[in-house]
Amino acid sequence: VELVESGGGLVQPGGSLRLSCAASRSILSFDSMGWYRQAPGKQRESVARITSAGSTNYADSVKGRFTISKDNAKNTVYLQMNSLKPEDTAVYYCNGRGHIDYWGQGTQVTVSS
């Protein structure tokens, strides 16, 4: 199974980015899919998750600013990130959870003026 992230980049504080995660198989085959991030010198942390049924949950630090969604027909999961802050700077990873965890290669998001 391959998970390929895209959409990262450099953005100013207050700006927006949309990350995409394209899966090589049906995302409905996963119990859930999510986004994690890892900043330099910090542990990887969960950002948002969406179940196969469409239920979502978010880290407190991104509630109200980030939205996770999915397009089952395109086997793609998205992370819309608004009102970005410098502390959102990290490598963002897509995760697919089933019997085991699958991970993408990560995409860099840098929030800086």
Side-chain angles (χ1 to χ4, degrees), residues 23-66:
S24 61
R25 75 181 195 198
S26 171
I27 59 175
L28 293 175
S29 67
F30 297 102
D31 294 333
S32 65
M33 296 200 70
W35 289 93
Y36 286 70
R37 67 186 181 188
Q38 187 166 20
K42 295 188 176 182
Q43 288 189 330
R44 191 174 295 190
E45 63 174 356
S46 178
V47 175
R49 180 156 296 276
I50 187 165
T51 69
S52 56
S55 298
T56 60
N57 61 69
Y58 300 90
D60 288 343
S61 59
V62 306
K63 279 181 182 176
R65 300 189 297 123
F66 290 11

Side-chain angles (χ1 to χ4, degrees), residues 2-3 11-12 18 22 25 30-31 38 43-44 49 53-54 60 67 81-82 84 87 91-93 95 97-98 102:
E2 275 194 303
L3 300 176
V11 63
Q12 292 187 342
R18 188 176 81 154
R25 75 181 195 198
F30 297 102
D31 294 333
Q38 187 166 20
Q43 288 189 330
R44 191 174 295 190
R49 180 156 296 276
D60 288 343
T67 302
M81 305 185 295
N82 299 327
L84 282 161
E87 51 264 43
V91 178
Y92 283 70
Y93 296 91
N95 167 262
R97 182 157 297 161
Y102 296 92

Side-chain angles (χ1 to χ4, degrees), residues 3 6 8 14 23 36-37 41 48 54 59 66 70 80 103 108:
L3 300 176
S6 61
Y36 286 70
R37 67 186 181 188
F66 290 11
K70 64 190 180 90
Q80 178 66 44
W103 295 93
Q108 177 71 46

Side-chain angles (χ1 to χ4, degrees), residues 64-83:
R65 300 189 297 123
F66 290 11
T67 302
I68 188 169
S69 63
K70 64 190 180 90
D71 186 329
N72 295 330
K74 295 182 178 180
N75 294 325
T76 301
V77 178
Y78 305 97
L79 185 69
Q80 178 66 44
M81 305 185 295
N82 299 327
S83 302

